[in-house]
Amino acid sequence: MRIKTTATLFATALLLTGCSGAGDHDGASASAVPDSSIAPRSSSLTADLALPVEGYIFSESEMGLLTHAMNDLTRDCMKAKGFDYRPDETDAPDIGVMDRRYGIANSYTAATYGYHFPTPRTGRANVQSLGEAGRIALRGKPRADGRLDPDGGCVGEAKKRLAGDKGTFGPDEIARRINMDSYVRSQKDPKVLAVFRTWSSCMAGKGYRYASPMDAIDDPRFGKAATGPAEISTARADVECKKKSGLVRTWFGVESAMQQTEIDKNAETLARIKRHKEDQLKRAASEVGQSR
């Protein structure tokens, strides 16, 4: 599995299956326990970095917990209605939003997978085998335009139980917007543009010509299904030049300042969002028999 751009990667991580709901398709969803052996954080340049907004959005492991609880509740609901529903069960690799936020930053994954993502172990949902009655029980009747109701059926019931009274399931839109906007705006900051040039010069010295880390990860040569030697060597050089140029910490510093400004402007709202996030995680942990 490969998602090309860094922006697409962390946007997808934020929206994850827990937001869209079980049974949307037969694709992969997050597991509660990522396989940390795939990508040890100790080899990442972002291992000790956390953006200010992270307290208000969901990490991969937190989203995995929420999804795990939602899947369990959905399966129990379906069983009570007489259907044998099996949700997606995928072991997501332990690659955090920060690890690829600024392009590849993990020397282990660079040397092993290049710009590709490790292939997760996947257990697919059995939505199609449920039949029309089962699919309606799972997601409710389709809307007038034919689309599925994201809050219908057993999936909707599971979301409501985890979200609580009048709550919204998953991450809040304001927190997500701050997270996305700071990433986009920071790419135009003079300090970030300057460190891009330093990184680019370092890459050129190794025989690779890219203006920015996003250009490297989006190189069409690396869009094939399998990782090749050229991709591995490029990715390794990419991480080395990030370390030499200080790109990650410079970009992180600029983006952190931008986020903190927005957080200060929306302090009261974000405090409520944080409480709601923690409430959801407590309910999810209770459902799967964990403690928080």
Side-chain angles (χ1 to χ4, degrees):
M1 178 180 68
R2 181 169 183 262
I3 301 174
K4 289 186 67 177
T5 64
T6 305
T8 301
L9 169 71
F10 77 80
T12 302
L14 289 177
L15 292 170
L16 222 47
T17 306
C19 294
S20 58
D24 284 348
H25 51 71
D26 287 342
S29 66
S31 167
V33 184
D35 183 357
S36 59
S37 65
I38 291 178
R41 289 193 57 75
S42 59
S43 57
S44 175
L45 299 177
T46 61
D48 61 338
L49 303 181
L51 287 163
V53 79
E54 289 189 47
Y56 309 96
I57 60 176
F58 288 74
S59 69
E60 284 71 38
S61 61
E62 289 170 338
M63 209 63 200
L65 172 62
L66 201 60
T67 302
H68 185 92
M70 182 182 68
N71 284 342
D72 284 357
L73 288 168
T74 301
R75 184 179 57 244
D76 292 346
C77 172
M78 290 292 285
K79 184 177 180 179
K81 292 175 185 262
F83 297 99
D84 178 22
Y85 169 65
R86 297 188 303 277
D88 290 337
E89 293 181 352
T90 297
D91 290 329
D94 191 13
I95 298 176
V97 172
M98 283 302 300
D99 193 43
R100 296 254 181 145
R101 192 175 184 95
Y102 308 133
I104 193 166
N106 190 308
S107 59
Y108 178 88
T109 51
T112 308
Y113 304 101
Y115 291 109
H116 280 66
F117 296 104
T119 302
R121 295 184 294 274
T122 304
R124 294 188 179 276
N126 66 332
V127 177
Q128 295 306 315
S129 65
L130 291 173
E132 183 179 3
R135 290 193 289 274
I136 290 175
L138 180 66
R139 298 304 307 261
K141 291 184 178 180
R143 294 170 168 173
D145 59 6
R147 291 184 301 170
L148 292 174
D149 182 355
D151 297 318
C154 286
V155 171
E157 289 182 24
K159 286 182 176 182
K160 290 171 186 175
R161 182 162 174 172
L162 293 169
D165 295 338
K166 300 180 181 180
T168 301
F169 178 80
D172 185 272
E173 182 60 32
I174 293 176
R176 292 193 303 182
R177 176 181 54 76
I178 291 173
N179 191 37
M180 290 292 294
D181 287 355
S182 65
Y183 176 79
V184 174
R185 289 194 296 122
S186 64
Q187 293 181 52
K188 301 174 184 178
D189 185 89
K191 291 180 182 178
V192 174
L193 291 174
V195 80
F196 279 2
R197 291 191 290 271
T198 303
W199 173 89
S200 179
S201 177
C202 174
M203 290 291 283
K206 296 177 181 291
Y208 307 102
R209 299 193 176 278
Y210 299 104
S212 74
M214 293 77 75
D215 292 337
I217 202 169
D218 280 343
D219 190 324
R221 295 182 301 150
F222 308 146
K224 298 178 180 179
T227 303
E231 181 180 344
I232 294 288
S233 61
T234 304
R236 292 182 67 179
D238 186 343
V239 176
E240 290 171 6
C241 286
K242 282 190 174 83
K243 184 175 183 180
K244 184 176 180 180
S245 65
L247 182 147
V248 169
R249 291 190 177 274
T250 298
W251 196 347
F252 171 80
V254 168
E255 196 177 5
S256 293
M258 289 179 174
Q259 287 189 0
Q260 192 59 56
T261 297
E262 292 302 310
I263 288 170
D264 291 343
K265 287 180 182 178
N266 298 277
E268 185 175 340
T269 299
L270 286 166
R272 174 185 53 78
I273 289 170
K274 189 171 185 177
R275 288 193 299 270
H276 181 53
K277 169 192 167 180
E278 291 301 323
D279 286 344
Q280 290 186 82
L281 291 174
K282 287 177 182 177
R283 293 188 192 99
S286 177
E287 293 295 341
V288 300
Q290 297 182 15
S291 60
R292 284 186 66 84

